[in-house]
Amino acid sequence: MFNKTKVTNKTMELADCKAEWTFNETYKCWCLEDILYTAKAVTPKFQRLSIFVPEPYMRKDGEINQARQMNGYTAQTVPVIFENNSAGYMQMTHTWLGGPRCYAEQYLEQGYVYITCGNRGHESKDADGRYCGKAPANLVDLKTALRFIRHNQSLIPGDMNKIISVGWSAGGAMSTLLAVTGNNKNFTSYLEENGAFMEESDAVYASQIYCPVTDLEHADLAYEWLFAADKENEAGAVAPAGIMTPFEEALSIRLKDAYINYFNNLKLVNPDNKEILQLTGDVRTGNGYEYLMSKLNESASIYLKKLENKELSAEYSVADYILVNEKSEWLSWDGKKAIIKSLDSYILSHRRRLKPCTSFDTLKKESCENKVFGTPENPNMHFNPQIADAISELREQFPKEYADYYTEYAKVKDDANLAKRVYLINPLNYIGTDEKSDQAKYCRIRVGASDADTSFTVSMTLALKLQEAGIQTDYQIVWEQPHSEADYKGEVIDWIKSIV
Ligand code: DHB
């Protein structure tokens, strides 16, 4: 891998590779691709980035053209989109124009500078075959890349005070972390070890966060609360389709109850009326539940309005849409507002459970979060001590499962190093707490209404926390969108225009 990896820069100074900029006729942009962002790369294939610059801001010889404009921006004022390609908490390369998960076009069309960045993941190995990518390596790599870009800012068009981070799923988690952990001291030693430019900043101006799979410490609990009514999971990456065993059903109830407790202790504030949001026990009531339903209803309303106004590419009418698959049994529309009958009707009729119980820190350690492609010296590992507590409560009822699973989960409780690593990559630890970071001014969160990769309450909680901490946060669930860069065409651009 080390020899085969293409690296354009010989040094960390982009002045040395001015001649390497090429022009892409299709996208009308200058390209500097496959740039190693640290001289201490242990997995060069993944610790690279590519830079794409709209045509007006550069000359053929890699010189910045200060004279020309695009869409009112100059090489000095144009925002820089920094998109991470992180997925599944695994190693990912940067992407390329027209490549998989490449969203460059919509940004380049507007005249923005676009950077795509790769990173290590938990399965990364160095040249000697040693694991070198465990958390927080993914985030540390992205911070290292931001510092590299700033170190070379005189060679790259763009306002480096207007870097806008973008990412989805695990990349959405990373985009969130970049927003809230800018220059936080917790990462200093990791950055030094990673060869980052320590005098540069890794803060971002704003973050676009798509479908964030984050708050892994509580994601298993949140999942059981959301999908409590559904005892059967669809086939997915974590597990084949299946029905819960009696043990899993009992565990699910324990985790759901633990979530209600956790959520209520957060004392989240409804930004509309300043009420403290709460969930109640077994019945789906409480203003926390109602707040989530208001976001889902808003999502459906926006979609149906757009459908009615023919703003979507769909060929069907609103009436057709509601009749399809007997949606009228759980969805109503009065021409202005959509109302979903209940969360459970939505789950059971429309967006079924994808993952089993447990869903992230899975029982058999086969999820992308807890599978480390184990070897005896680096075993797959659990990370959520709350699951140990729940299993412990089921000891008498399910002795076999207790014997099978408890000890492994309980090990987490004694592993301070693991707890630290889990802490470092949970954005909630940095929002409205004593942690000192240079935080983004703006965040925009978009989550597909058909996304069952994590509970809706994970991003809802994140949005509410960010808002409460004074970060201007635009949060919506996007109807009918799966786990993806869930958005309506052009709306991310409208948001960027509104903040720069
Ligand atoms: C991703 C998806 C998941 O379901 C998950 O648990 C973690 C990450 C992803 O697409 O990045």
Side-chain angles (χ1 to χ4, degrees):
M1 177 183 78
F2 285 73
N3 298 334
K4 274 190 271 159
T5 302
K6 179 174 174 261
V7 172
T8 301
N9 50 328
K10 303 270 181 308
T11 72
M12 288 295 110
E13 308 304 319
L14 290 186
D16 297 343
C17 54
K18 274 181 165 180
E20 307 299 329
W21 287 89
T22 58
F23 192 72
N24 183 302
E25 285 294 342
T26 313
Y27 290 82
K28 299 276 177 281
C29 67
W30 292 100
C31 315
L32 190 61
E33 299 188 69
D34 306 320
I35 302 295
L36 205 61
Y37 53 74
T38 164
K40 289 194 185 167
V42 283
T43 62
K45 181 172 171 190
F46 302 99
Q47 292 168 296
R48 292 182 303 168
L49 53 78
S50 290
I51 306 168
F52 302 104
V53 173
E55 185 269 337
Y57 313 130
M58 286 198 91
R59 299 180 211 278
K60 188 156 78 225
D61 49 6
E63 288 294 330
I64 295 180
N65 188 343
Q66 303 287 4
R68 291 181 59 201
Q69 295 197 359
M70 184 167 172
N71 255 351
Y73 298 112
T74 66
Q76 252 168 15
T77 63
V78 65
V80 177
I81 308 299
F82 178 80
E83 180 144 29
N84 79 74
N85 199 24
S86 182
Y89 289 92
M90 295 162 83
Q91 60 189 12
M92 284 292 275
T93 65
H94 60 298
T95 186
W96 54 91
L97 295 176
R101 296 166 59 105
C102 179
Y103 303 92
E105 190 170 1
Q106 62 175 334
Y107 300 112
L108 291 170
E109 268 173 13
Q110 295 299 319
Y112 306 148
V113 171
Y114 181 85
I115 298 177
T116 160
C117 191
N119 56 263
R120 285 171 292 167
H122 57 48
E123 81 280 37
S124 293
K125 286 182 184 173
D126 66 15
D128 299 323
R130 279 190 299 257
Y131 285 96
C132 61
K134 287 187 181 184
N138 185 337
L139 177 60
V140 170
D141 274 351
L142 300 174
K143 287 171 170 287
T144 301
L146 284 166
R147 286 166 181 257
F148 169 83
I149 293 162
R150 287 206 168 97
H151 176 78
N152 284 291
Q153 61 184 290
S154 63
L155 284 304
I156 310 170
D159 179 351
M160 297 305 167
N161 292 319
K162 294 275 158 54
I163 297 182
I164 299 170
S165 158
V166 184
W168 70 273
S169 195
M174 291 304 142
S175 194
T176 313
L177 282 158
L178 291 177
V180 300
T181 67
N183 300 324
N184 186 293
K185 295 271 181 295
N186 291 343
F187 298 95
T188 302
S189 61
Y190 295 98
L191 288 165
E192 279 167 354
E193 194 190 338
N194 204 32
F197 288 103
M198 297 311 293
E199 65 285 10
E200 302 291 350
S201 165
D202 58 46
V204 298
Y205 177 69
S207 278
Q208 168 62 55
I209 300 159
Y210 287 114
C211 297
V213 175
T214 192
D215 190 11
L216 297 179
E217 284 146 284
H218 304 101
D220 287 286
L221 282 54
Y223 207 81
E224 297 317 311
W225 180 81
L226 188 81
F227 289 103
D230 198 349
K231 309 292 178 206
E232 188 175 352
N233 70 280
E234 291 175 354
V238 175
I243 298 173
M244 280 187 195
T245 64
F247 166 71
E248 287 163 350
E249 269 198 48
L251 184 59
S252 172
I253 292 167
R254 287 279 188 295
L255 296 176
K256 178 204 70 177
D257 289 347
Y259 185 67
I260 293 170
N261 215 3
Y262 163 72
F263 183 94
N264 290 345
N265 280 330
L266 286 173
K267 301 207 167 24
L268 299 167
V269 179
N270 180 338
D272 304 328
N273 57 17
K274 307 295 173 222
E275 275 179 18
I276 304 284
L277 296 177
Q278 297 282 285
L279 300 173
T280 51
D282 285 334
V283 279
R284 295 290 204 183
T285 55
N287 58 358
Y289 168 79
E290 281 156 20
Y291 187 74
L292 172 61
M293 293 313 292
S294 76
K295 298 309 287 184
L296 277 166
N297 288 337
E298 174 192 68
S299 169
S301 304
I302 291 171
Y303 177 87
L304 293 174
K305 196 84 213 145
K306 284 181 187 284
L307 190 58
E308 204 163 71
N309 294 343
K310 306 218 176 325
E311 289 168 38
L312 305 176
S313 53
E315 308 248 303
Y316 41 80
S317 67
V318 169
D320 290 346
Y321 175 79
I322 292 185
L323 287 176
V324 165
N325 297 333
E326 291 156 8
K327 283 199 189 68
S328 55
E329 285 176 16
W330 57 271
L331 179 67
S332 67
W333 169 245
D334 67 4
K336 283 202 183 101
K337 278 182 91 172
I339 296 183
I340 297 162
K341 197 164 130 198
S342 68
L343 180 59
D344 291 342
S345 64
Y346 181 73
I347 297 295
L348 292 171
S349 314
H350 192 58
R351 181 55 266 195
R352 300 291 303 261
R353 169 190 282 269
L354 172 67
K355 298 182 176 183
C357 174
T358 52
S359 42
F360 295 86
D361 193 1
T362 51
L363 294 169
K364 300 206 171 82
K365 302 182 198 162
E366 76 255 286
S367 74
C368 60
E369 285 82 7
N370 67 8
K371 178 174 176 172
V372 198
F373 303 91
T375 57
E377 68 282 6
N378 202 56
N380 296 342
M381 62 204 308
H382 289 306
F383 56 83
N384 189 342
Q386 293 166 91
I387 298 178
D389 293 342
I391 293 176
S392 158
E393 289 171 23
L394 299 170
R395 177 180 195 157
E396 282 180 14
Q397 213 181 333
F398 295 97
K400 180 178 177 320
E401 287 83 353
Y402 176 83
D404 286 348
Y405 301 124
Y406 177 74
T407 316
E408 285 294 298
Y409 276 108
K411 278 186 194 162
V412 180
K413 291 181 177 238
D414 304 323
D415 191 338
N417 184 36
L418 174 68
K420 179 181 164 205
R421 296 195 297 107
V422 173
Y423 174 92
L424 286 175
I425 59 158
N426 189 336
L428 296 186
N429 293 326
Y430 303 87
I431 312 172
T433 67
D434 290 340
E435 289 285 357
K436 298 235 173 332
S437 317
D438 296 327
Q439 301 196 321
K441 286 196 172 54
Y442 305 93
C443 285
R444 180 173 183 270
I445 304 177
R446 288 293 181 274
V447 183
S450 299
D451 181 354
D453 278 52
T454 192
S455 168
F456 295 134
T457 53
V458 168
S459 39
M460 181 181 98
T461 298
L462 178 62
L464 291 166
K465 278 272 192 190
L466 288 167
Q467 268 158 11
E468 229 176 285
I471 297 176
Q472 289 191 44
T473 304
D474 174 340
Y475 159 59
Q476 262 181 33
I477 301 175
V478 189
W479 196 251
E480 285 289 1
Q481 290 290 310
H483 186 61
S484 62
E485 291 221 350
D487 219 336
Y488 290 109
K489 196 166 186 305
E491 293 195 355
V492 65
I493 303 296
D494 295 341
W495 173 69
I496 294 172
K497 285 182 182 159
S498 76
I499 62 166
V500 294

